[in-house]
Protein backbone atom coordinates (compact mmCIF):
# COMPACT_ATOMS: atom_id res chain seq x y z
CA UNK A 1 0.00 0.00 0.00
CA UNK A 2 2.53 2.56 1.13
CA UNK A 3 6.19 2.52 0.29
CA UNK A 4 8.88 1.21 2.57
CA UNK A 5 10.10 4.74 3.26
CA UNK A 6 6.66 5.85 4.44
CA UNK A 7 6.47 2.93 6.87
CA UNK A 8 9.96 3.74 8.12
CA UNK A 9 8.99 7.35 8.72
CA UNK A 10 5.84 6.32 10.62
CA UNK A 11 7.93 4.02 12.79
CA UNK A 12 10.50 6.77 13.32
CA UNK A 13 7.82 9.22 14.43
CA UNK A 14 6.18 6.73 16.78
CA UNK A 15 9.53 5.95 18.40
CA UNK A 16 10.46 9.62 18.60
CA UNK A 17 7.15 10.76 20.09
CA UNK A 18 6.96 7.92 22.62
CA UNK A 19 10.52 8.53 23.77
CA UNK A 20 9.89 12.25 24.24
CA UNK A 21 6.61 11.62 26.07
CA UNK A 22 8.36 9.16 28.38
CA UNK A 23 11.23 11.58 29.00
CA UNK A 24 8.91 14.47 29.77
CA UNK A 25 6.80 12.24 32.00
CA UNK A 26 9.87 11.17 33.99
CA UNK A 27 11.15 14.73 34.29
CA UNK A 28 7.80 16.06 35.46
CA UNK A 29 7.37 13.14 37.84
CA UNK A 30 10.74 13.74 39.49
CA UNK A 31 10.15 17.49 39.63
CA UNK A 32 6.63 17.12 40.96
CA UNK A 33 7.27 19.22 44.07
CA UNK A 34 8.57 22.05 41.91
CA UNK A 35 5.78 21.82 39.37
CA UNK A 36 3.06 22.28 41.97
CA UNK A 37 2.56 25.94 42.69
CA UNK A 38 1.59 25.49 46.33
CA UNK A 39 1.26 22.90 49.06
CA UNK A 40 -1.96 22.19 50.92
CA UNK A 41 -1.98 22.34 54.74
CA UNK A 42 -2.18 18.53 54.80
CA UNK A 43 0.94 18.30 52.67
CA UNK A 44 2.73 20.73 54.96
CA UNK A 45 1.81 18.66 58.02
CA UNK A 46 3.18 15.55 56.39
CA UNK A 47 6.56 17.14 55.64
CA UNK A 48 9.29 15.16 57.36
CA UNK A 49 11.30 18.18 58.38
CA UNK A 50 10.58 21.85 58.58
CA UNK A 51 11.90 23.53 55.47
CA UNK A 52 13.77 26.81 55.77
CA UNK A 53 13.10 27.69 52.14
CA UNK A 54 10.41 29.99 50.90
CA UNK A 55 7.29 27.96 50.13
CA UNK A 56 3.71 28.60 49.10
CA UNK A 57 0.70 27.27 50.92
CA UNK A 58 -2.73 27.24 49.33
CA UNK A 59 -6.24 26.45 50.43
CA UNK A 60 -9.38 28.16 51.57
CA UNK A 61 -9.53 31.08 53.95
CA UNK A 62 -11.39 29.66 56.93
CA UNK A 63 -14.71 31.29 57.79
CA UNK A 64 -14.52 33.97 60.53
CA UNK A 65 -10.78 33.52 60.79
CA UNK A 66 -9.62 36.85 59.34
CA UNK A 67 -8.34 39.05 62.13
CA UNK A 68 -7.11 42.49 61.13
CA UNK A 69 -5.29 44.47 63.81
CA UNK A 70 -3.50 47.70 62.83
CA UNK A 71 -1.26 46.59 59.98
CA UNK A 72 -1.26 42.90 60.70
CA UNK A 73 -3.59 40.36 59.17
CA UNK A 74 -3.96 36.93 60.69
CA UNK A 75 -6.06 34.24 59.12
CA UNK A 76 -6.32 30.47 58.80
CA UNK A 77 -5.75 28.49 55.61
CA UNK A 78 -7.69 25.27 55.57
CA UNK A 79 -8.14 22.36 53.20
CA UNK A 80 -10.99 21.07 55.41
CA UNK A 81 -8.67 18.46 56.90
CA UNK A 82 -5.83 20.49 58.32
CA UNK A 83 -5.30 24.14 59.10
CA UNK A 84 -2.38 26.53 59.20
CA UNK A 85 -2.30 29.94 60.86
CA UNK A 86 -0.93 32.66 58.64
CA UNK A 87 0.54 35.96 59.79
CA UNK A 88 0.92 38.71 57.26
CA UNK A 89 1.42 42.44 57.10
CA UNK A 90 0.78 44.28 53.88
CA UNK A 91 -1.75 44.66 51.15
CA UNK A 92 -4.07 41.84 50.18
CA UNK A 93 -5.70 41.48 46.77
CA UNK A 94 -9.34 42.50 46.35
CA UNK A 95 -10.49 38.94 46.00
CA UNK A 96 -9.02 37.92 49.35
CA UNK A 97 -12.16 36.81 51.24
CA UNK A 98 -13.41 34.22 53.65
CA UNK A 99 -14.34 30.90 52.05
CA UNK A 100 -12.32 31.78 48.98
CA UNK A 101 -9.09 30.34 47.67
CA UNK A 102 -5.80 31.87 48.73
CA UNK A 103 -2.12 31.24 48.16
CA UNK A 104 0.37 32.54 50.73
CA UNK A 105 4.07 32.79 49.97
CA UNK A 106 6.54 32.86 52.87
CA UNK A 107 8.29 30.83 55.52
CA UNK A 108 7.15 28.19 57.97
CA UNK A 109 7.77 29.04 61.62
CA UNK A 110 6.56 25.64 62.67
CA UNK A 111 3.95 23.27 61.34
CA UNK A 112 1.09 25.43 62.53
CA UNK A 113 2.39 28.94 61.93
CA UNK A 114 3.31 30.48 58.63
CA UNK A 115 4.81 33.91 58.13
CA UNK A 116 3.64 35.16 54.77
CA UNK A 117 5.44 37.71 52.64
CA UNK A 118 2.93 37.79 49.84
CA UNK A 119 -0.75 36.91 49.56
CA UNK A 120 -2.35 35.91 46.28
CA UNK A 121 -6.04 35.33 45.81
CA UNK A 122 -6.95 32.18 43.95
CA UNK A 123 -10.02 32.50 41.79
CA UNK A 124 -12.17 29.43 41.24
CA UNK A 125 -13.83 28.27 38.02
CA UNK A 126 -17.27 29.69 38.87
CA UNK A 127 -18.46 32.68 36.87
CA UNK A 128 -21.87 34.17 37.53
CA UNK A 129 -23.65 37.50 37.84
CA UNK A 130 -24.26 38.88 41.38
CA UNK A 131 -28.03 38.20 41.27
CA UNK A 132 -27.49 34.50 40.69
CA UNK A 133 -24.97 34.40 43.51
CA UNK A 134 -27.51 35.98 45.86
CA UNK A 135 -30.13 33.42 44.86
CA UNK A 136 -27.64 30.61 45.49
CA UNK A 137 -26.76 32.14 48.83
CA UNK A 138 -30.42 32.19 49.92
CA UNK A 139 -30.87 28.51 49.28
CA UNK B 1 1.59 14.82 -8.82
CA UNK B 2 -0.49 17.94 -8.74
CA UNK B 3 -2.92 18.29 -5.87
CA UNK B 4 -5.00 21.31 -6.76
CA UNK B 5 -5.42 23.79 -9.50
CA UNK B 6 -3.81 26.88 -8.02
CA UNK B 7 -5.51 29.47 -10.16
CA UNK B 8 -8.87 28.14 -9.08
CA UNK B 9 -7.87 28.19 -5.42
CA UNK B 10 -6.54 31.73 -5.74
CA UNK B 11 -9.76 32.98 -7.29
CA UNK B 12 -11.92 31.21 -4.77
CA UNK B 13 -10.00 32.41 -1.75
CA UNK B 14 -9.89 36.02 -2.99
CA UNK B 15 -13.65 36.01 -3.24
CA UNK B 16 -14.22 34.26 0.08
CA UNK B 17 -11.89 36.68 1.88
CA UNK B 18 -14.33 39.55 1.43
CA UNK B 19 -17.26 37.51 2.70
CA UNK B 20 -15.28 36.28 5.69
CA UNK B 21 -14.12 39.81 6.46
CA UNK B 22 -17.72 41.04 6.55
CA UNK B 23 -18.81 38.12 8.73
CA UNK B 24 -15.84 38.63 11.03
CA UNK B 25 -16.56 42.34 11.55
CA UNK B 26 -20.24 41.62 12.11
CA UNK B 27 -19.71 38.85 14.64
CA UNK B 28 -16.87 40.71 16.36
CA UNK B 29 -19.05 43.77 16.90
CA UNK B 30 -21.93 41.66 18.21
CA UNK B 31 -19.50 39.77 20.44
CA UNK B 32 -17.85 42.91 21.79
CA UNK B 33 -21.21 44.55 22.44
CA UNK B 34 -22.40 41.44 24.28
CA UNK B 35 -19.17 41.12 26.21
CA UNK B 36 -18.64 44.76 27.14
CA UNK B 37 -22.18 46.08 27.50
CA UNK B 38 -24.89 43.43 27.75
CA UNK B 39 -23.21 40.74 29.81
CA UNK B 40 -23.38 41.14 33.60
CA UNK B 41 -20.40 41.71 35.83
CA UNK B 42 -19.10 38.84 37.92
CA UNK B 43 -20.18 38.53 41.55
CA UNK B 44 -16.56 38.39 42.65
CA UNK B 45 -14.35 39.89 39.97
CA UNK B 46 -16.64 42.70 38.92
CA UNK B 47 -15.84 44.11 35.51
CA UNK B 48 -12.49 42.30 35.35
CA UNK B 49 -14.46 39.30 34.10
CA UNK B 50 -14.74 41.02 30.71
CA UNK B 51 -11.07 40.30 30.03
CA UNK B 52 -12.08 36.64 29.95
CA UNK B 53 -14.02 37.17 26.69
CA UNK B 54 -10.74 37.82 24.91
CA UNK B 55 -8.41 35.71 27.03
CA UNK B 56 -10.23 32.39 26.86
CA UNK B 57 -10.99 32.33 23.09
CA UNK B 58 -7.40 33.44 22.38
CA UNK B 59 -6.04 30.61 24.50
CA UNK B 60 -8.38 28.09 22.84
CA UNK B 61 -7.36 29.29 19.39
CA UNK B 62 -3.64 29.10 20.12
CA UNK B 63 -3.98 25.53 21.41
CA UNK B 64 -6.29 24.49 18.58
CA UNK B 65 -4.11 25.98 15.85
CA UNK B 66 -0.98 24.37 17.26
CA UNK B 67 -2.69 20.97 17.36
CA UNK B 68 -3.79 21.49 13.77
CA UNK B 69 -0.25 22.43 12.70
CA UNK B 70 1.10 19.35 14.48
CA UNK B 71 -1.47 17.13 12.81
CA UNK B 72 -0.58 18.53 9.37
CA UNK B 73 3.11 18.22 10.19
CA UNK B 74 2.79 14.53 10.95
CA UNK B 75 1.18 14.02 7.55
CA UNK B 76 3.87 16.16 5.93
CA UNK B 77 6.64 14.24 7.63
CA UNK B 78 5.25 10.86 6.65
CA UNK B 79 3.75 11.49 3.23
CA UNK B 80 5.80 14.54 2.15
CA UNK B 81 2.61 16.34 1.20
CA UNK B 82 3.76 19.83 0.27
CA UNK B 83 0.35 21.41 0.22
CA UNK B 84 -0.25 20.61 3.89
CA UNK B 85 3.00 22.27 4.89
CA UNK B 86 1.87 25.48 3.19
CA UNK B 87 -1.40 25.36 5.13
CA UNK B 88 0.50 24.82 8.37
CA UNK B 89 2.90 27.65 7.58
CA UNK B 90 0.06 30.04 6.76
CA UNK B 91 -1.99 29.35 9.88
CA UNK B 92 0.94 29.55 12.33
CA UNK B 93 1.22 33.37 12.68
CA UNK B 94 -2.35 33.82 13.91
CA UNK B 95 -1.85 31.03 16.44
CA UNK B 96 1.24 32.78 17.74
CA UNK B 97 -0.57 36.12 17.98
CA UNK B 98 -3.43 34.49 19.91
CA UNK B 99 -0.94 32.85 22.25
CA UNK B 100 0.65 36.24 23.01
CA UNK B 101 -2.82 37.79 23.46
CA UNK B 102 -3.72 35.03 25.94
CA UNK B 103 -0.53 35.61 27.94
CA UNK B 104 -0.88 39.41 27.99
CA UNK B 105 -4.60 39.50 28.82
CA UNK B 106 -4.04 36.83 31.47
CA UNK B 107 -1.40 39.03 33.03
CA UNK B 108 -3.69 42.06 32.97
CA UNK B 109 -6.44 39.96 34.59
CA UNK B 110 -4.06 38.45 37.13
CA UNK B 111 -3.02 41.75 38.67
CA UNK B 112 -6.44 42.84 39.97
CA UNK B 113 -7.69 39.33 40.83
CA UNK B 114 -4.71 37.28 42.00
CA UNK B 115 -2.59 40.23 43.01
CA UNK B 116 0.29 39.43 40.70
CA UNK B 117 1.15 39.96 37.04
CA UNK B 118 2.92 36.68 36.66
CA UNK B 119 3.18 33.35 38.47
CA UNK B 120 5.41 30.43 37.54
CA UNK B 121 2.60 27.94 37.87
CA UNK B 122 2.21 24.97 35.55
CA UNK B 123 -0.51 26.47 33.32
CA UNK B 124 1.17 29.81 32.72
CA UNK B 125 4.63 28.33 32.26
CA UNK B 126 3.43 25.67 29.81
CA UNK B 127 1.59 28.40 27.88
CA UNK B 128 4.87 30.34 27.69
CA UNK B 129 6.59 27.20 26.38
CA UNK B 130 3.88 26.95 23.71
CA UNK B 131 4.62 30.54 22.67
CA UNK B 132 8.32 29.65 22.40
CA UNK B 133 7.47 26.68 20.19
CA UNK B 134 5.41 28.95 17.94
CA UNK B 135 8.36 31.32 17.80
CA UNK B 136 10.76 28.51 16.93
CA UNK B 137 8.38 27.26 14.26
CA UNK B 138 8.02 30.67 12.64
CA UNK B 139 11.74 31.42 12.88
CA UNK B 140 12.70 28.07 11.37
CA UNK B 141 10.82 29.07 8.22
CA UNK B 142 13.06 32.12 7.90
CA UNK B 143 16.34 30.55 8.96
CA UNK B 144 16.51 27.43 6.79
CA UNK B 145 16.50 27.97 3.07
CA UNK B 146 16.93 24.45 1.80
CA UNK B 147 13.41 23.31 0.94
CA UNK B 148 13.71 19.70 2.06
CA UNK B 149 15.47 20.75 5.20
CA UNK B 150 12.95 23.40 6.26
CA UNK B 151 10.17 20.88 5.73
CA UNK B 152 11.71 18.43 8.16
CA UNK B 153 12.79 20.99 10.74
CA UNK B 154 9.46 22.81 10.94
CA UNK B 155 7.37 19.67 11.05
CA UNK B 156 9.56 18.18 13.78
CA UNK B 157 9.29 21.38 15.84
CA UNK B 158 5.50 21.20 15.55
CA UNK B 159 5.43 17.49 16.45
CA UNK B 160 7.75 18.08 19.44
CA UNK B 161 5.69 21.04 20.60
CA UNK B 162 2.39 19.22 20.31
CA UNK B 163 3.36 17.13 23.34
CA UNK B 164 3.10 20.36 25.30
CA UNK B 165 -0.53 20.87 24.24
CA UNK B 166 -2.07 18.26 26.60
CA UNK B 167 0.24 19.53 29.33
CA UNK B 168 -1.23 23.02 28.91
CA UNK B 169 -4.76 21.63 28.89
CA UNK B 170 -4.47 19.34 31.89
CA UNK B 171 -1.89 21.26 33.95
CA UNK B 172 -4.69 22.70 36.10
CA UNK B 173 -6.00 19.21 36.88
CA UNK B 174 -2.68 17.41 37.37
CA UNK B 175 -0.99 19.91 39.65
CA UNK B 176 -2.04 22.58 42.07
CA UNK B 177 -1.82 25.80 40.12
CA UNK B 178 -2.75 29.39 40.74
CA UNK B 179 -4.73 29.32 37.52
CA UNK B 180 -8.28 28.09 37.97
CA UNK B 181 -9.48 24.85 36.32
CA UNK B 182 -11.53 24.95 33.12
CA UNK B 183 -15.00 26.49 33.44
CA UNK B 184 -16.29 25.33 30.08
CA UNK B 185 -16.39 21.54 29.98
CA UNK B 186 -17.80 19.18 27.43
CA UNK B 187 -18.03 16.18 29.72
CA UNK B 188 -18.50 17.58 33.20
CA UNK B 189 -20.69 20.51 34.16
CA UNK B 190 -19.92 23.96 32.83
CA UNK B 191 -19.47 26.37 35.71
CA UNK B 192 -20.02 29.59 33.85
CA UNK B 193 -23.42 31.25 33.79
CA UNK B 194 -25.18 31.26 30.42
CA UNK B 195 -25.27 35.08 30.32
CA UNK B 196 -21.46 34.94 30.19
CA UNK B 197 -21.14 31.80 28.12
CA UNK B 198 -23.00 33.26 25.13
CA UNK B 199 -20.69 36.26 24.58
CA UNK B 200 -17.75 33.90 25.10
CA UNK B 201 -19.01 31.67 22.29
CA UNK B 202 -19.64 34.64 19.98
CA UNK B 203 -16.14 35.97 20.60
CA UNK B 204 -14.72 32.52 19.90
CA UNK B 205 -16.57 32.45 16.57
CA UNK B 206 -15.14 35.89 15.75
CA UNK B 207 -11.61 34.69 16.53
CA UNK B 208 -12.08 31.61 14.36
CA UNK B 209 -13.15 33.82 11.46
CA UNK B 210 -10.17 36.11 12.06
CA UNK B 211 -7.77 33.15 11.92
CA UNK B 212 -9.44 31.95 8.76
CA UNK B 213 -9.09 35.38 7.17
CA UNK B 214 -5.41 35.77 8.05
CA UNK B 215 -4.84 32.18 6.96
CA UNK B 216 -6.37 32.80 3.52
CA UNK B 217 -4.29 35.94 3.04
CA UNK B 218 -1.07 34.17 4.01
CA UNK B 219 -1.94 31.14 1.94
CA UNK B 220 -2.62 33.29 -1.13
CA UNK B 221 0.72 35.00 -0.69
CA UNK B 222 2.47 31.65 -0.55
CA UNK B 223 0.69 30.45 -3.68
CA UNK B 224 1.55 33.64 -5.56
CA UNK B 225 5.18 33.33 -4.48
CA UNK B 226 5.30 29.81 -5.91
CA UNK B 227 3.59 30.93 -9.09
CA UNK B 228 6.06 33.74 -9.57
CA UNK B 229 8.90 31.27 -9.32
CA UNK B 230 7.29 29.43 -12.19
CA UNK B 231 6.73 26.31 -10.16
CA UNK B 232 3.67 24.15 -9.79
CA UNK B 233 4.11 23.73 -6.08
CA UNK B 234 6.60 24.18 -3.26
Amino acid sequence: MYGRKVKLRILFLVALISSIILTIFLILKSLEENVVYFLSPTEVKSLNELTQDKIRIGGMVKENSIDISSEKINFVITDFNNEINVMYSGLVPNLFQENKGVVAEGFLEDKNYFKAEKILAKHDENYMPPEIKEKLGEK
Amino acid sequence: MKFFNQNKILNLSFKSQKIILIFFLLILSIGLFEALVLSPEDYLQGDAVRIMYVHVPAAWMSLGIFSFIAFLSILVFIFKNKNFILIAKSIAPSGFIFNIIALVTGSIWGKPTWGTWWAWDARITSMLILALFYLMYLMAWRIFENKNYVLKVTSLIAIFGSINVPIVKFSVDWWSTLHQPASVNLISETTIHSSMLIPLCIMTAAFVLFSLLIFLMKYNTELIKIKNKGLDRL
Side-chain angles (χ1 to χ4, degrees), chain B:
Chain B
M1 184 164 56
K2 207 167 164 187
F3 286 91
F4 298 102
N5 184 333
Q6 276 161 16
N7 284 330
K8 252 186 203 166
I9 295 183
L10 273 177
N11 268 335
L12 195 72
S13 79
F14 271 125
K15 273 180 206 155
S16 56
Q17 272 177 37
K18 274 179 202 159
I19 304 169
I20 292 172
L21 179 68
I22 292 165
F23 266 105
F24 163 66
L25 289 176
L26 193 72
I27 291 183
L28 182 74
S29 35
I30 297 171
L32 280 178
F33 188 66
E34 280 266 357
L36 299 177
V37 184
L38 293 180
S39 74
E41 57 177 37
D42 185 65
Y43 76 104
L44 200 60
Q45 309 161 50
D47 280 323
V49 71
R50 297 181 202 286
I51 297 170
M52 184 260 299
Y53 301 121
V54 176
H55 174 77
V56 173
W60 282 345
M61 290 306 296
S62 64
L63 284 172
I65 289 175
F66 202 94
S67 314
F68 185 54
I69 293 172
F71 173 69
L72 290 175
S73 296
I74 289 173
L75 296 181
V76 168
F77 190 85
I78 294 173
F79 301 109
K80 304 281 168 199
N81 182 328
K82 301 206 165 130
N83 199 40
F84 285 162
I85 198 76
L86 276 191
I87 297 176
K89 184 189 181 185
S90 313
I91 193 96
S94 43
F96 179 60
I97 294 300
F98 280 132
N99 195 327
I100 299 296
I101 290 174
L103 283 172
V104 171
T105 52
S107 180
I108 296 169
W109 182 85
K111 187 63 186 169
T113 43
W114 295 338
T116 182
W117 296 104
W118 186 264
W120 291 104
D121 86 338
R123 168 57 71 81
I124 304 170
T125 310
S126 57
M127 205 61 191
L128 183 66
I129 293 170
L130 187 69
L132 292 175
F133 266 104
Y134 266 121
L135 199 64
M136 274 193 281
Y137 184 85
L138 290 170
M139 280 166 72
W141 275 108
R142 290 170 180 258
I143 291 171
F144 303 106
E145 292 190 346
N146 182 312
K147 246 184 271 167
N148 289 323
Y149 200 57
V150 76
L151 230 126
K152 278 178 198 149
V153 172
T154 51
S155 51
L156 281 179
I157 290 173
I159 293 165
F160 264 58
S162 68
I163 295 164
N164 187 40
V165 172
I167 297 180
V168 174
K169 171 78 182 104
F170 296 110
S171 54
V172 288
D173 305 322
W174 290 343
W175 304 291
S176 58
T177 53
L178 187 59
H179 194 286
Q180 59 267 41
S183 299
V184 181
N185 301 302
L186 294 178
I187 300 163
S188 52
E189 201 189 346
T190 292
T191 56
I192 174 166
H193 191 258
S194 57
S195 61
M196 296 168 169
L197 187 61
I198 291 164
L200 182 62
C201 291
I202 299 173
M203 286 301 282
T204 309
F207 280 24
V208 170
L209 285 174
F210 178 78
S211 303
L212 195 61
L213 187 67
I214 300 296
F215 161 71
L216 284 176
M217 289 172 165
K218 292 286 290 178
Y219 191 61
N220 271 357
T221 317
E222 296 293 337
L223 288 183
I224 291 167
K225 264 190 210 164
I226 292 167
K227 216 176 156 190
N228 288 349
K229 281 183 195 156
L231 300 170
D232 274 350
R233 57 186 170 91
L234 182 79

Side-chain angles (χ1 to χ4, degrees), chain A residues 2 5-7 9-10 12-13 16-17 20-21 24 28 32 34-40 43 56 93-97 100 102-103 118-133, chain B residues 40-45 49 52 56 73-74 76-80 109 111-116 118-122 156 159-160 163 167 174-183 191-193 195-196:
Chain A
Y2 295 119
K5 282 226 159 180
V6 171
K7 277 182 194 157
R9 285 196 290 260
I10 295 174
F12 172 79
L13 264 195
L16 183 80
I17 293 173
I20 305 167
I21 289 177
I24 290 176
L28 286 177
E32 181 119 44
N34 294 315
V35 179
V36 295
Y37 193 67
F38 56 82
L39 300 173
S40 70
E43 283 164 335
R56 295 190 200 93
N94 294 334
L95 264 68
F96 175 78
Q97 282 174 21
K100 290 282 167 211
V102 68
V103 176
K118 198 169 166 191
I119 299 286
L120 301 174
K122 184 167 161 36
H123 188 264
D124 61 19
E125 69 272 31
N126 295 305
Y127 291 77
M128 56 188 133
E131 309 87 61
I132 306 290
K133 177 69 187 167
Chain B
E41 57 177 37
D42 185 65
Y43 76 104
L44 200 60
Q45 309 161 50
V49 71
M52 184 260 299
V56 173
S73 296
I74 289 173
V76 168
F77 190 85
I78 294 173
F79 301 109
K80 304 281 168 199
W109 182 85
K111 187 63 186 169
T113 43
W114 295 338
T116 182
W118 186 264
W120 291 104
D121 86 338
L156 281 179
I159 293 165
F160 264 58
I163 295 164
I167 297 180
W174 290 343
W175 304 291
S176 58
T177 53
L178 187 59
H179 194 286
Q180 59 267 41
S183 299
T191 56
I192 174 166
H193 191 258
S195 61
M196 296 168 169

Side-chain angles (χ1 to χ4, degrees), chain A residues 85-109:
Chain A
N85 295 294
V86 180
M87 292 156 291
Y88 176 69
S89 58
L91 287 169
V92 290
N94 294 334
L95 264 68
F96 175 78
Q97 282 174 21
E98 285 170 0
N99 285 324
K100 290 282 167 211
V102 68
V103 176
E105 187 178 289
F107 300 92
L108 274 176
E109 306 249 293

